[in-house]
Amino acid sequence: MTKKEKALLACEALEKIYPDVECSLNFTKPYELMIATRLSAQCTDARVNIVCRDLFLKYPDVYAMAKAENKDVEALVFSCGVYKVKAANIIDFS
């Protein structure tokens, strides 16, 4: 069985156990979900949604995010905790 087949089986099993689960992170584009997920470590989803609103207004796409200054992103994600690591991780991801 390939890794992809195993992953599909795992997803199917999880969908049976949790059929009505919804993501509480706000996002409109796939990369926004990836960034929000990275920010959510040791932070509430409510806080991440507040931070991401401002973050995605200032950096509306991955190109803008990639050009961001680390200190500017740090200031925006400060309230999520571990902000230096998270800011660097977001910029490197872009």
Side-chain angles (χ1 to χ4, degrees):
M1 181 177 295
T2 67
K3 287 182 181 181
K4 185 174 182 177
E5 291 169 334
K6 287 180 185 179
L8 287 172
L9 285 175
C11 287
E12 289 171 3
L14 288 170
E15 286 174 357
K16 286 180 184 175
I17 297 169
Y18 305 105
D20 298 321
V21 74
E22 291 183 25
C23 181
S24 59
L25 296 171
N26 298 334
F27 66 98
T28 57
K29 301 168 190 136
Y31 83 90
E32 291 179 353
L33 178 59
M34 178 66 77
I35 289 172
T37 302
R38 288 172 179 226
L39 289 175
S40 70
Q42 299 177 340
C43 185
T44 66
D45 289 349
R47 169 60 51 194
V48 171
N49 287 333
I50 292 167
V51 168
C52 283
R53 181 189 63 225
D54 297 335
L55 184 68
F56 299 146
L57 279 174
K58 186 165 184 175
Y59 305 106
D61 56 41
V62 291
Y63 303 107
M65 189 77 67
K67 293 177 185 176
E69 291 290 327
N70 212 19
K71 63 180 174 54
D72 295 334
V73 177
E74 285 177 359
L76 287 168
V77 303
F78 179 82
S79 64
C80 287
V82 197
Y83 67 97
K84 288 187 181 273
V85 173
K86 290 180 180 183
N89 195 292
I90 289 170
I91 293 170
D92 289 344
F93 164 72
S94 304

